[in-house]
Amino acid sequence: MAHLELDRVAKQFGAQTVVDDFSLAVGKGEFISFLGPSGCGKTTTLQMIAGFLDPTRGAIRLEGKDLTAIHPARRGLGIVFQSYALFPHMTAAENVAFGLEMRSVPRSERAERVRAALAMVGLAGYEQRHPRRMSGGQQQRVALARALVIKPSVLLLDEPLSNLDAKLREEMQIELRQIQRTIGTTTILVTHDQNEAMSLSDRIVVMSQGRIEQIGTPQDTYERPASAFVSQFLGKTNDFAATIDRTAMPARLVAGSWSAPAPAGLSGPVTVSIRPERIGFGDAGLGAKIVTRIFQGNHWLFQCASECGPAIVIRQNDGQAQPAEGEGVRLAWRAEDMSVRGGAAS
Amino acid sequence: MSSVAEERSIRAPWALTAPALMLFVGVLLIPLAMTVMLSFHDWGQYKGIEPVFILKNWQEIATDPYYAEMFWRTFRIAILTTLLTALLGAPEAYILNRMSGRWKSFFLLVILGPLLISVVARTLGWALLFGGNNGLANKLLMSLGVIRSPIPFMFTETGMVVALAHVMMPFMVLSVWAALQRLDPQIENAAMSLGAGPVTIIRRIIMPQIMPGVLSGAIIVFSLSASAFATPAIIGGRRLKVAATLAYDEFLNTLNWPLGAAVATLLLAALVLIVVGSNAMIERRYAEVFR
Ligand SMILES: Nc1ncnc2c1ncn2[C@@H]1O[C@H](COP(=O)(O)OP(=O)(O)OP(=O)(O)O)[C@@H](O)[C@H]1O
Ligand SMILES: [Mg+2]
């Protein structure tokens, strides 16, 4: 049985449907990311799990029990808010102790657990600081300690790292993952940063306009995007219009002067989607001309004008000579690296 | 070259603030200094004001219990008014802040409404409602048999406190409102997720954070009530005087300007001391919340 289960959950504000048909089963100890553009309903979904919003339809179950019937104060979930929402009039230790106080944990045990929680997030010695005298990263850690100290059954994180600068964010990502591995709390992270989602999670839920586009491991969603939206949202991608040539025997998939054996059971116009780092320069293939060539340290980025519209190619900087701007090239890739969408089943 | 620029950069702020400074000195500091000086002059029924330096007026205020009673009443009324506005205004602001968009702006207007009406008109309204046997509310309550004799309102301290609290309420609500605006919108959810109930949230999370707002509102209400003139003048008349109406009477009825000046000076000095003192205390106490 799934630890946390969302069953066709939907949320409407007035006539506007913000989340629809959201079904997800989260295993115990799993790290899940909700990934999607701004306004796609990530926070709304998280707030429904937390209990600050009631779902319009559907059920949310924790360990098989209906969660929506339980008051948010008694759900026992740990939540880290985007703004941290620390209590500014309390010290770091008092902030962390608050949840234990509400649970009537004896004073001595409370002090010990607060100390341990702050030490775990690397804030030993900051017990008596007030939040406003702490840096963004330190506040973020206090918020994490405050959520974890109550030993929540599920940890909900709403863009906890978005207020941090790039370097600190990376450090916190590593730390977050380590802490989560150590204590094994089931975790749901909301983010619109695809790198964050990919580097942290066991599975990613890609959302768009209130609906789930794809659920899968980071590698899965990146390598085998289920929709054009997912492939565009997760990293850069090239989409080429292609056709299936049934006159050839066996049938061939054709994009400009590039072609390959057609996958079985497809006909009509389709879209071929291929990651820029999977395209190579060869002797045969899609005709293109290099428009710009950008050096990016460990790799080169080429923007090309191909027969099928603009294309981007990324090549490792492996010391080989690279084509110059204005040079004509042929783009080729392996059939297993692309995904083909659309077209009618035949 | 650089010294010229430096000189200019020093002069510029002075030049720019000069008009306002001159106005400030001309219409506030000079009359104030003259009032203080006036309080040391002599006065007699037939000789009028004599520009000498004596302590007669100050001695009179210090020794005559009439003045002590007057000042004590002034501050008692101001304190009670402040308490009343805090007790009603803080919850009012909190509820207002939780309302949704349209209702919020409507009720904000209702609360600010009194500020748009003249103090005299508002206070006369209270007088019409509760003024002795002819007051509308009194008449109604008596005819319904709820009360037998009219609720005393005019010429009572209670009346003054109620009318003043009505006048001062917007200042308290706005001050608490400003403090509420600075709250993290998720702070109540955060407390709730940690297991806190509604009462605990208000007591442990909201109250400590809006306390600076309540206290700065209290300072405004207190100083305005202690120096209020129109409301005490209408409700209290000549029978129930406070410091401000007393000073007014000395100036315009008895024509004893020096004594009136001494009363006014004392009121001002006491208020400045109280306000500056409590402000410093609040800022020290709530340093963490203010930052
Ligand atoms: N209380 C509300 N009333 C009406 N509409 C709302 C309300 N809360 C959110 N919405 C709408 O729901 C949609 C999704 O909001 P949500 O906050 O879940 O987005 P999000 O995915 O978290 O975006 P972001 O990445 O910007 O935080 C938005 O279009 C928003 O305008
Ligand atoms: Mg959000």
Side-chain angles (χ1 to χ4, degrees), chain A residues 47 52 71-73 77 79 81 83-90 95 98-99 101-103 130 132-133 146-147 150, chain B residues 182 184-198 200-201 204-206 208-209 287-291:
Chain A
Q47 299 235 328
F52 307 141
H71 188 267
L77 310 179
I79 302 164
F81 296 86
S83 57
Y84 313 141
L86 293 173
F87 310 132
H89 56 293
M90 299 183 185
N95 263 282
F98 187 79
E101 252 177 86
M102 294 301 117
R103 283 165 175 68
H130 279 86
R132 293 213 171 107
R133 288 176 189 270
R146 184 178 70 175
I150 59 172
Chain B
R182 300 203 310 200
D184 188 311
Q186 294 285 5
I187 203 110
E188 291 191 36
N189 280 347
M192 207 199 304
S193 76
L194 292 166
T200 312
I201 291 177
R204 295 278 314 271
I205 306 298
I206 305 296
Q209 290 192 71
E288 289 312 326
V289 186
F290 266 125
R291 278 167 54 92

Side-chain angles (χ1 to χ4, degrees), chain A residues 82-164:
Chain A
Q82 185 169 354
S83 57
Y84 313 141
L86 293 173
F87 310 132
H89 56 293
M90 299 183 185
T91 62
E94 285 167 346
N95 263 282
V96 177
F98 187 79
L100 298 177
E101 252 177 86
M102 294 301 117
R103 283 165 175 68
S104 315
V105 173
R107 187 176 290 273
S108 55
E109 186 194 338
R110 198 157 71 197
E112 177 50 34
R113 278 169 69 177
V114 168
R115 200 197 53 70
L118 281 171
M120 180 177 65
V121 295
L123 280 183
Y126 286 86
E127 282 81 1
Q128 298 314 316
R129 277 283 179 104
H130 279 86
R132 293 213 171 107
R133 288 176 189 270
M134 299 179 122
S135 71
Q138 291 168 338
Q139 293 183 30
Q140 208 276 326
R141 286 157 203 255
V142 176
L144 188 61
R146 184 178 70 175
L148 285 174
V149 78
I150 59 172
K151 301 197 173 130
S153 51
V154 179
L155 180 63
L156 304 174
L157 308 162
D158 191 356
E159 310 212 23
L161 308 179
S162 62
N163 287 342
L164 306 180

Side-chain angles (χ1 to χ4, degrees), chain A residues 38-39 41-44 82 158-159 190 192:
Chain A
S38 188
K42 307 180 294 287
T43 299
T44 306
Q82 185 169 354
D158 191 356
E159 310 212 23
V190 159
H192 57 247

